[in-house]
Amino acid sequence: MNVATWSAKIIERPDGLILRSDQTHLPDCNHVLRMLVKHREIRMLSRGAYARCSTIDELPPWGRFDLDARSVGSTRGRILAGYSAAAVHGLWRYQSVPGRHHIYRRSQGRRLTTGPRLTELHSRLLPEDTVMVDGLWCTSVDRTIADLVRVHGFGAGFVALCHALRLGLTSRENFGRFLGGEESSGDLRTLVNRATPAVESAMEAQFLAQSVFYGDFDLIPQYAVTVEDGTVYRVDFVVEGTIEGIELDGRGKYGSTDGEQHFSLEREKRRADAIRRAGVTTAHYSYHQVEKLHAYRATLARLGLPDRTEFPRIHID
């Protein structure tokens, strides 16, 4: 049979993964998979896990991380943790494309093979700390968020908790009970008290995390502004006690085609003019400006506050 025929016979999971363990119907699956790799039909992601080259090439970088996380979790004995577990749970990330995956061992058996982009975590897991999602073992939502704080810092845990609250996957009370005695630590106590389901995107959660962590100003998310014709618009943030509004323009906000972008920009201009006439001045920032703290510094300047000479690390890569 030719390459196209063999390619059509392999079983592909809904998430795009092709697992060697699923190909038992093939007479010699190892040979078939090697042949398809050689002819660039599929690509190996991790031991025993593949995806079609066309699938991988069409994914944005953050989508590739999600698929890679699933491939890592498909290896027997692994429990996905940290950003890798967050990818399976569908949680927002402070860092859109993390540099490594984290795992636990499912038992005290042989040591797992790790590498520059794969790190094993060593903490005691209770039975309720692990769940199976889409056939993959990963840490529970609460455990995932706690590990994100421990491994990557306040920002990672804050952004994930905001999304988990928004999705109804946990609550402040549940997460606080999960932490138990750990809740007395400053960062975790602040996380429980200040994370909110009101933010509508990872970028909004990221900017709010910066405001909470650095403490120079407080933000009101999804601030309602009633304009002259009675329409109510929501501004991403207003700085508490001021009329300074902040709008975050995420990827794809204005559409993917020229026509969509032109229509959206015209509509956005009318909206911004109406909000300004209602007394709220807004500044717009991009993902890059939020990520690099340019938006935070610009907000300090707008408020007449002194610039910071240095920022404590809100996120650890």
Side-chain angles (χ1 to χ4, degrees), residues 6-12 18 23 25-26 36 42 52:
W6 282 120
S7 179
K9 286 182 174 292
I10 59 176
I11 294 175
E12 182 177 1
I18 298 168
Q23 314 307 318
H25 61 292
L26 298 176
L36 293 176
I42 64 174
R52 294 188 186 277

Side-chain angles (χ1 to χ4, degrees), residues 195-212:
T196 173
V199 290
E200 295 185 341
S201 69
M203 184 162 57
E204 290 180 25
Q206 186 178 22
F207 190 67
L208 182 60
Q210 294 168 3
S211 169
V212 170

Side-chain angles (χ1 to χ4, degrees), residues 199-248:
V199 290
E200 295 185 341
S201 69
M203 184 162 57
E204 290 180 25
Q206 186 178 22
F207 190 67
L208 182 60
Q210 294 168 3
S211 169
V212 170
F213 187 70
Y214 297 124
D216 295 301
F217 50 83
D218 290 323
L219 297 172
I220 302 172
Q222 296 302 310
Y223 185 80
V225 180
T226 304
V227 302
E228 53 199 0
D229 67 356
T231 302
V232 177
Y233 290 117
R234 292 197 174 272
V235 178
D236 291 341
F237 295 105
V238 163
V239 179
E240 191 171 290
T242 77
I243 57 169
E244 301 294 336
I246 297 160
E247 296 271 53
L248 305 180

Side-chain angles (χ1 to χ4, degrees), residues 184-195:
S184 59
S185 68
D187 279 357
L188 288 169
R189 186 170 60 252
T190 302
L191 194 78
V192 173
N193 292 335
R194 299 295 300 276

Side-chain angles (χ1 to χ4, degrees), residues 51-266:
R52 294 188 186 277
C53 293
S54 58
T55 298
I56 297 171
D57 293 342
E58 290 172 0
L59 290 172
W62 53 93
R64 294 184 189 182
F65 179 87
D66 293 350
L67 184 61
D68 199 34
R70 289 176 173 274
S71 77
V72 169
S74 69
T75 298
R76 184 181 304 174
R78 291 175 177 176
I79 301 170
L80 293 174
Y83 276 136
S84 306
V88 175
H89 287 299
L91 297 177
W92 292 333
R93 299 191 287 262
Y94 189 97
Q95 185 180 33
S96 61
V97 188
R100 58 175 51 240
H101 295 280
H102 288 87
I103 56 172
Y104 286 101
R105 273 188 284 179
R106 284 191 60 197
S107 67
Q108 297 304 310
R110 63 182 180 84
R111 184 178 179 83
L112 296 173
T113 302
T114 58
R117 297 192 66 246
L118 182 62
T119 300
E120 182 182 346
L121 299 180
H122 300 279
S123 292
R124 180 169 172 262
L125 292 179
L126 299 175
E128 59 267 29
D129 289 340
T130 61
V131 294
M132 182 173 280
V133 180
D134 297 335
L136 302 172
W137 282 103
C138 56
T139 50
S140 66
V141 168
D142 289 333
R143 181 73 200 203
T144 297
I145 295 168
D147 281 343
L148 284 170
V149 176
R150 181 165 66 95
V151 176
H152 295 289
F154 178 85
F158 187 93
V159 169
L161 180 54
C162 284
H163 199 200
L165 293 173
R166 186 173 178 83
L167 296 174
L169 298 178
T170 191
S171 64
R172 287 190 183 88
E173 295 73 23
N174 285 344
F175 187 61
R177 283 195 294 270
F178 169 81
L179 294 175
E182 292 184 75
E183 190 182 346
S184 59
S185 68
D187 279 357
L188 288 169
R189 186 170 60 252
T190 302
L191 194 78
V192 173
N193 292 335
R194 299 295 300 276
T196 173
V199 290
E200 295 185 341
S201 69
M203 184 162 57
E204 290 180 25
Q206 186 178 22
F207 190 67
L208 182 60
Q210 294 168 3
S211 169
V212 170
F213 187 70
Y214 297 124
D216 295 301
F217 50 83
D218 290 323
L219 297 172
I220 302 172
Q222 296 302 310
Y223 185 80
V225 180
T226 304
V227 302
E228 53 199 0
D229 67 356
T231 302
V232 177
Y233 290 117
R234 292 197 174 272
V235 178
D236 291 341
F237 295 105
V238 163
V239 179
E240 191 171 290
T242 77
I243 57 169
E244 301 294 336
I246 297 160
E247 296 271 53
L248 305 180
D249 301 334
R251 305 179 180 97
K253 179 174 182 177
Y254 298 112
S256 57
T257 67
D258 289 343
E260 287 176 345
Q261 291 176 3
H262 177 75
F263 175 77
S264 296
L265 288 170
E266 285 292 323

